[in-house]
Amino acid sequence: MALLHQSLRDRQVASITKILNLNQDPIVSSDAPNEPSSSPSGLIPQTTSILSPDGDPIWKVLVFDNLGRDVISSVLRVNDLRAWGVTIHLNINSPRHPIPDVPAVYLLEPTAANLQLITSDLSRNLYSPAYINFLSSIPRPLLEDFAASTAAAGTAEHIARVYDQYLNFIVGEPDLFSLAMGSGTYWALNSAMTKDEELDAVVDRVVSGLFSVVVTLGVIPIIRCPKGGAAEMISVKLDRKLRDHILNSKDNLFSNSNQRPSSATGSAASRPILIVLDRNIDLIPMLSHSWTYQSLVHDVLKMKLNRITIETPRDEKSPEAGKTRRAYDLNSNDFFWAKNAGVPFPQVAEDIDTELTRYREDANEVTKKTGASSIEDLQNDTSASAQHLKAAITLLPELRERKATLDMHMNIATVLLQGIKDRQLDNFFQIEESITKQSKVQILELLNDEAKGKEPLDKLRLFIIWFLSTEQEVSRAEMERFEDALKKAGADITALAYVKKVREITRMTMMTSAPSQPSQQLSSGELFRGFSAISNKLTDRLKDGALGANLETLISGVKNLIPANKDLTITKITESLMDPASASSSAIAKTENYLYFDPRSANARGTMPPPSAARSQAASGGGMPGGLGSLGPGTGASFGQRRQGFNEAVVVMVGGGNMEEYGNLQEWAKRTSGGGAGVGGVGGGSAAGGVRRRVVYGSTELINAEEFVVSELKRLGEESGV
């Protein structure tokens, strides 16, 4: 069955298209393939929208709130919406005009404000009928209030159906999701200023999002988490929510015939593992200067919801003409991004040249057969034979799309190269690769050297990474010298007050993210000579051909920066829980006492005290500043459960995630998967020829280093310094 091989993104797309189809299953043609979609839109292939009794398409209006917009825009484009009969899409908070006798599809959060706006729309006869879809389950009190206001306004006849859809999460990549909680979650979970009711609201929002992810995947996982902190609180509540749903729902969401077969069984081996982790297990990836394409785009170009905005020259030959702003979408439908997102940036520059050469050869092949001088001339050429013209015209759209994609990535690569040179990111990357070997004198020299990085935040990030990684004792006088150097460099050191407390508590419990073998060192000047040559040539790719005969010379020095072995803390934890037979003894020791929850078991469950009790334990037990302590004995795993292996995992980082951890997990899953074929879907099990692993990475929000320092660490530092 195709369902067995669908990614989280495939499943969310299928759910959204069903909503756009007025919650009726799309019509699938008899010859539809049993594989996930690989079309540019991402839609399930060979499906059609429902028709009216007269055989005409049913055109509709789509109304969403901000979260609904983000959920849809991350996986569908405007032309996809048109294919499903959506003629216009509007934000519920914007002024709107009546469109009588046209169905409206609402997709929004179940909030009192949204319900009032729906009632207002229907009372003003903006649309009829209305299909109301909530992104998560609407609480009973809100539903009763909505029913009362609907009765009072006399708008019941305009409401066709009301649905709970369980889609309050954003999928950025096939195996990457965010709960869209924004920055500030880490602060809320670790601040002593957070009230109990506010903490409960944050935890409940995480639980609601994870419940939706589990429902979308269609299988109940085994839940593992460390003792204490928000991870345990979330795991206990999620375990209870899943249990209550299974016990109290006659036709529960996991018994649907469209769900995976494994969801109906109690066999743990056929189910994925859900690993819930606190951000405090490792802060370093949130601050580090990574070298992969997607991490650089996220850090340097501030990617949000797969979209970036860059400035490019209006005219390459005339800099005085100024620059123009361009917005680009980067997702798994982009063949170059799908292939290169997780690879080191120097290889991306090389692959751009390879793809451009391939494009040029294909274009030349087409024009050679028709006798035209270029692809552009084909449209106006009538002298070529009809057969060759037909073949050429068939290939034109694909060739033009490839050219546009490569042009886009050349522009992005050029801007990234400029950002790398301006901020000397190569220098920071090199140092962080061997951060534990750096002495106090070396770090102080770097902070004081104006020639080594002009961006104050980069130096602050490097220092925090060293401070949390080093085993050297740092005296008060030495700390003052470091702080003075950072101030002199222009950095805001407010966050350090909190970082000092983190170091005291986590120094003995953090698994280091430093590589076991440092990469080869290369001087900054030598590296930049190579980058400069690449940058100059990238700007005129299509005019001058390939990168040149000296490409290998230009790239060879950069390749030495690629780390040989670097599994991050989150990857080591995931390996110890998914594949304990291959994990290191230190990683297994850290996860040996992780709690175990099986929502289908009568025994594997824990208790849930109020947040105030958890705070009291944290205060008396030396926990994180303002954080949560252990919630009680919980449920320990038996030896057999601790040594149980899994082929699929959903790893959730509470308090913020980043592209480096996502890429590191995907690299590990690819490296440890056998059989040569692609990784199977979640719950698909192993395949002949070797185990196939899939790891889905999720977080409360994907945020870059600047946001984490300013929105989280700085706020906590202000409180710690009081």
Side-chain angles (χ1 to χ4, degrees):
M1 291 179 61
L3 283 174
L4 287 175
H5 301 282
Q6 286 185 323
S7 66
L8 180 63
R9 181 183 183 278
D10 291 329
R11 287 176 170 273
Q12 191 185 55
V13 168
S15 298
I16 293 173
T17 53
K18 184 175 180 178
I19 291 171
L20 299 179
N21 214 33
L22 305 182
N23 284 281
Q24 297 186 38
D25 290 321
I27 302 171
V28 182
S29 64
S30 59
D31 58 342
N34 290 331
E35 294 295 334
S37 167
S38 58
S39 66
S41 67
L43 295 176
I44 304 301
Q46 300 187 8
T47 57
T48 58
S49 178
I50 59 171
L51 305 176
S52 68
D54 297 328
D56 299 322
I58 298 179
W59 303 107
K60 0 178 161 48
V61 176
L62 174 62
V63 182
F64 42 61
D65 61 2
N66 291 340
L67 181 58
R69 174 200 62 205
D70 293 345
V71 168
I72 292 178
S73 64
S74 64
V75 293
L76 297 181
R77 302 174 184 172
V78 173
N79 58 330
D80 297 325
L81 298 179
R82 297 262 167 80
W84 291 97
V86 175
T87 57
I88 187 171
H89 52 278
L90 302 163
N91 193 300
I92 195 169
N93 296 301
S94 64
R96 286 165 289 126
H97 301 288
I99 307 178
D101 301 323
V102 173
V105 176
Y106 286 86
L107 183 64
L108 30 70
E109 293 186 272
T111 65
N114 283 341
L115 294 177
Q116 290 175 2
L117 288 171
I118 293 174
T119 302
S120 173
D121 288 353
L122 300 182
S123 62
R124 291 182 292 139
N125 295 314
L126 293 190
Y127 324 108
S128 182
Y131 294 81
I132 302 171
N133 299 272
F134 295 117
L135 289 166
S136 59
S137 179
I138 182 172
R140 182 80 181 185
L142 270 182
L143 185 60
E144 292 174 352
D145 291 345
F146 182 51
S149 62
T150 299
T155 57
E157 62 181 8
H158 297 302
I159 299 177
R161 296 291 294 271
V162 178
Y163 301 91
D164 290 335
Q165 293 293 354
Y166 303 102
L167 290 173
N168 55 332
F169 60 95
I170 295 172
V171 179
E173 300 282 340
D175 295 318
L176 173 69
F177 72 89
S178 160
L179 300 184
M181 296 179 63
S183 57
T185 305
Y186 179 80
W187 169 83
L189 293 172
N190 291 279
S191 172
M193 308 293 289
T194 307
K195 298 177 182 178
D196 282 355
E197 54 269 25
E198 295 172 341
L199 181 61
D200 263 339
V202 171
V203 171
D204 288 343
R205 173 67 181 87
V206 177
V207 171
S208 173
L210 293 183
F211 184 82
S212 295
V213 171
V214 171
V215 169
T216 303
L217 288 174
V219 60
I220 297 177
I222 304 296
I223 305 172
R224 300 295 303 272
C225 72
K227 290 184 178 180
E232 181 180 352
M233 179 179 286
I234 290 165
S235 299
V236 171
K237 282 196 169 186
L238 179 60
D239 174 64
R240 176 183 294 178
K241 188 178 181 74
L242 288 167
R243 288 174 183 275
D244 290 346
H245 176 76
I246 295 170
L247 293 174
N248 300 330
S249 302
K250 184 178 180 181
D251 185 19
N252 70 68
L253 295 165
F254 302 96
S255 62
N256 191 299
S257 60
N258 289 329
Q259 300 294 346
R260 297 165 9 162
S262 60
S263 65
T265 70
S267 171
S270 62
R271 295 152 58 190
I273 180 174
L274 171 61
I275 306 170
V276 184
L277 301 171
D278 288 309
R279 182 68 269 170
N280 286 323
I281 66 164
D282 191 9
L283 296 182
I284 291 172
M286 298 299 294
L287 304 166
S288 63
H289 297 85
S290 181
W291 206 234
T292 63
Y293 191 26
Q294 60 189 0
S295 294
L296 281 169
V297 168
H298 199 238
D299 185 11
V300 178
L301 304 182
K302 309 293 187 288
M303 182 171 67
K304 279 288 185 186
L305 297 174
N306 291 358
R307 170 161 285 226
I308 59 173
T309 302
I310 64 174
E311 291 186 347
T312 58
R314 293 181 184 274
D315 188 344
E316 296 283 355
K317 298 180 180 179
S318 304
E320 63 275 6
K323 296 185 176 182
T324 181
R325 293 173 64 86
R326 296 186 180 183
Y328 294 128
D329 289 315
L330 297 170
N331 54 54
S332 57
N333 300 319
D334 175 339
F335 79 93
F336 190 87
W337 178 255
K339 179 182 177 182
N340 290 283
V343 306
F345 181 65
Q347 293 183 13
V348 175
E350 191 172 357
D351 203 46
I352 288 177
D353 174 67
T354 302
E355 291 294 339
L356 281 168
T357 302
R358 183 179 295 123
Y359 161 78
R360 202 171 297 107
E361 290 173 350
D362 292 346
N364 290 338
E365 184 69 22
V366 172
T367 56
K368 188 185 302 181
K369 289 181 178 179
T370 59
S373 59
S374 69
I375 287 290
E376 286 71 19
D377 294 338
L378 273 177
Q379 296 179 97
N380 304 318
D381 191 343
T382 58
S383 61
S385 69
Q387 183 178 359
H388 286 156
L389 269 180
K390 181 180 179 181
I393 291 173
T394 302
L395 293 172
L396 269 177
E398 189 269 339
L399 287 172
R400 289 185 181 278
E401 185 174 348
R402 279 170 59 189
K403 180 178 181 296
T405 298
L406 294 174
D407 282 347
M408 175 182 74
H409 285 283
M410 283 191 299
N411 290 334
I412 294 172
T414 302
V415 175
L416 280 180
L417 284 166
Q418 191 61 48
I420 290 169
K421 288 191 286 187
D422 290 345
R423 292 169 53 184
Q424 297 196 23
L425 297 182
D426 65 304
N427 188 35
F428 291 102
F429 171 73
Q430 290 176 7
I431 295 172
E432 289 170 16
E433 283 298 290
S434 56
I435 194 69
T436 56
K437 299 183 182 299
Q438 302 297 319
S439 67
K440 289 180 260 190
V441 173
Q442 289 173 310
I443 294 296
L444 191 59
E445 285 179 354
L446 183 142
L447 298 181
N448 285 316
D449 192 343
E450 295 182 1
K452 293 184 178 178
K454 298 180 181 179
E455 175 60 47
L457 183 61
D458 288 325
K459 290 189 174 183
L460 178 63
R461 288 163 59 182
L462 176 72
F463 174 74
I464 294 176
I465 292 171
W466 174 81
F467 187 59
L468 293 177
S469 303
T470 185
E471 296 181 2
Q472 305 171 58
E473 293 294 336
V474 180
S475 67
R476 180 174 297 182
E478 289 170 332
M479 192 66 187
E480 289 177 355
R481 285 197 290 272
F482 286 127
E483 292 176 352
D484 290 341
L486 286 167
K487 288 180 182 177
K488 184 179 177 181
D492 184 343
I493 64 169
T494 307
L496 292 183
Y498 176 75
V499 173
K500 292 175 189 175
K501 295 184 178 181
V502 173
R503 172 182 159 97
E504 293 173 6
I505 296 164
T506 63
R507 191 172 163 202
M508 299 304 295
T509 58
M510 267 191 188
M511 282 182 280
T512 179
S513 290
S516 58
Q517 298 177 5
S519 59
Q520 296 182 18
Q521 298 298 302
L522 190 68
S523 70
S524 178
E526 185 179 356
L527 174 66
F528 281 157
R529 282 198 297 273
F531 270 149
S532 178
I534 297 173
S535 181
N536 292 338
K537 290 178 179 294
L538 274 174
T539 56
D540 53 6
R541 267 325 68 225
L542 293 178
K543 292 176 289 185
D544 297 340
L547 278 172
N550 63 339
L551 173 67
E552 288 300 320
T553 304
L554 295 174
I555 300 293
S556 59
V558 181
K559 286 183 178 178
N560 289 331
L561 288 172
I562 300 172
N565 183 7
K566 187 181 180 183
D567 279 345
L568 300 178
T569 297
I570 189 173
T571 306
K572 295 176 182 176
I573 290 174
T574 301
E575 181 179 38
S576 70
L577 294 174
M578 286 186 70
D579 187 16
S582 302
S584 66
S585 57
S586 61
I588 291 178
K590 297 294 184 184
T591 60
E592 192 77 359
N593 295 320
Y594 271 35
L595 299 179
Y596 183 99
F597 300 93
D598 183 355
R600 288 194 176 277
S601 168
N603 301 317
R605 61 188 305 170
T607 56
M608 186 69 236
S612 55
R615 285 188 186 279
S616 299
Q617 286 192 2
S620 61
M624 291 298 298
L628 303 172
S630 178
L631 303 178
T635 303
S638 67
F639 180 81
Q641 291 168 338
R642 292 197 303 270
R643 295 297 180 265
Q644 177 184 338
F646 296 87
N647 296 335
E648 302 84 26
V650 180
V651 184
V652 180
M653 188 60 78
V654 179
N658 58 85
M659 299 302 289
E660 183 175 10
E661 287 182 329
Y662 167 66
N664 199 252
L665 282 168
Q666 297 309 308
E667 192 279 330
W668 173 82
K670 181 179 179 181
R671 187 176 73 236
T672 59
S673 293
V679 180
V682 174
S686 61
V691 174
R692 301 182 184 181
R693 303 192 192 282
R694 181 185 287 276
V695 179
V696 177
Y697 176 74
S699 64
T700 48
E701 183 65 72
L702 282 171
I703 55 179
N704 59 39
E706 181 178 353
E707 290 177 299
F708 189 69
V709 172
V710 175
S711 301
E712 315 280 13
L713 298 184
K714 182 180 177 181
R715 293 176 68 185
L716 290 166
E718 290 170 348
E719 296 174 12
S720 301
V722 176

